[in-house]
Amino acid sequence: METELKFAVLIDADNISDKYIKIILEETANSGIATYKRIYGDWTSPQLASWKSVLLDNSIIPMQQYSYTTGKNATDSAMIIDAMDILYSGHVDGFCLASSDSDFTRLAARLREAGMQVIGMGESKTPQPFISACNQFKYLDLLYEKKQEEAEEAAEPQAKRRAHREKNKPQKELEKTKKTINTIIEKFSDDDGWIFSGKLGDQLSKRLPDFDVRNFGFSKLTPFMKSLGCYEINKVSDGGGQKQIYFRVKEGKGK
């Protein structure tokens, strides 16, 4: 029986809205078990009042950190110190760092150096160095918007939903992703140019920590690949009733 990874969820209340809490916990649950759930901020500040009921509902421990000096982020220091204490306790396999602040870049890198799995979560404004320092990075605002859109579009015809999804694809990120996919296929495909979907997904997450098909309006890799129009898809039976999916670049579409 495979043992689930244990994660410490550390949230920077100064940079993360309480509306994202369900997404933070759901994304962590997709990777393992949240054994630590802590949030850092000055809880005497009216700005954090909206968090208080959320903490009780989700059993998150608030860590008080007074702002001793204007312009100095004491919350960051407290969160970093706690992260290192948890690391040396040996009780976790990874960390979820929820913040859009680049000050956690070095922390993420240090935790990875220690063999930890690091999942970063923040808004699209998060600086690239912090994103790159994590094993994975989740855009909370995009995931939140997707949930909102799913609720609003539930009654819309399929064609209208598809048109809306195509219109809102982030083109710059899409081109970067396609280029990376082509590089991976070129390196890891067999003699006929086919690559196993699991291998492609694994390599994409390693090369693009912030890659997530949900950022482009999809829930699975195969529909996303089909939408690009550049790849052939082959489903092969493994003999046990399951289908294994392979991709390759269509002729003339390799650029």
Side-chain angles (χ1 to χ4, degrees):
M1 182 177 177
E2 188 176 343
T3 303
E4 286 193 277
L5 298 178
K6 298 176 182 177
F7 281 85
V9 179
L10 308 182
I11 304 169
D12 176 8
D14 292 337
N15 283 284
I16 295 294
S17 169
D18 61 287
K19 69 182 181 182
Y20 297 136
I21 189 60
K22 291 295 184 185
I23 296 174
I24 292 171
L25 297 180
E26 286 173 2
E27 292 299 316
T28 303
N30 289 339
S31 299
I33 302 171
T35 54
Y36 290 82
K37 291 188 288 184
R38 298 180 180 179
I39 184 166
Y40 300 80
D42 182 357
W43 301 103
T44 64
S45 170
Q47 295 178 344
L48 301 184
S50 61
W51 268 106
K52 293 182 181 178
S53 62
V54 174
L55 305 186
L56 294 173
D57 292 342
N58 295 279
S59 188
I60 301 172
I61 299 174
M63 309 299 287
Q64 173 62 33
Q65 185 59 50
Y66 293 102
S67 300
Y68 296 111
T69 306
T70 302
K72 300 292 184 180
N73 198 334
T75 297
D76 289 5
S77 299
M79 187 165 150
I80 291 169
I81 291 169
D82 257 16
M84 297 310 295
D85 286 343
I86 294 170
L87 169 65
Y88 291 126
S89 75
H91 294 158
V92 299
D93 305 296
F95 287 79
C96 167
L97 304 177
S99 178
S100 301
D101 193 337
S102 63
D103 287 350
F104 294 108
T105 301
R106 184 66 187 97
L107 173 62
R110 176 64 183 86
L111 294 173
R112 289 188 65 183
E113 287 172 359
M116 294 288 105
Q117 182 78 9
V118 180
I119 302 173
M121 298 187 193
E123 294 186 328
S124 300
K125 64 183 180 181
T126 305
Q128 187 61 43
F130 179 38
I131 295 171
S132 299
C134 301
N135 295 97
Q136 301 175 50
F137 192 89
K138 309 292 183 180
Y139 290 116
L140 296 173
D141 50 341
L142 298 185
L143 295 178
Y144 182 81
E145 288 171 11
K146 183 176 185 296
K147 282 184 175 291
Q148 297 295 103
E149 288 172 1
E150 286 174 349
E152 294 170 0
E153 296 172 3
E156 289 184 359
Q158 185 177 5
K160 187 174 181 180
R161 292 200 304 269
R162 186 182 300 114
H164 176 82
R165 186 167 59 197
E166 292 293 324
K167 180 181 178 181
N168 288 279
K169 282 184 182 178
Q171 290 300 319
K172 184 178 179 180
E173 290 301 311
L174 194 62
E175 290 304 316
K176 181 177 74 172
T177 302
K178 286 168 62 176
K179 184 175 181 179
T180 304
I181 289 171
N182 290 341
T183 300
I184 294 169
I185 292 177
E186 182 178 355
K187 181 172 179 60
F188 293 101
S189 62
D190 62 18
D191 291 342
D192 294 320
W194 293 102
I195 185 171
F196 177 51
S197 59
K199 183 67 173 181
L200 176 61
D202 179 60
Q203 286 296 318
L204 273 170
S205 65
K206 289 179 179 178
R207 295 165 186 250
L208 301 174
D210 56 343
F211 172 74
D212 192 321
V213 293
R214 293 172 298 178
N215 295 343
F216 302 98
F218 296 88
S219 58
K220 300 290 183 181
L221 180 61
T222 300
F224 168 68
M225 292 290 288
K226 184 177 180 180
S227 76
L228 298 177
C230 305
Y231 306 99
E232 295 181 49
I233 301 171
N234 189 22
K235 298 180 180 181
V236 181
S237 176
D238 63 359
Q242 300 293 321
K243 294 288 188 180
Q244 293 189 329
I245 301 173
Y246 293 81
F247 304 111
R248 76 175 175 186
V249 180
K250 287 183 179 179
E251 187 174 351
K253 299 286 187 177
K255 300 297 182 182

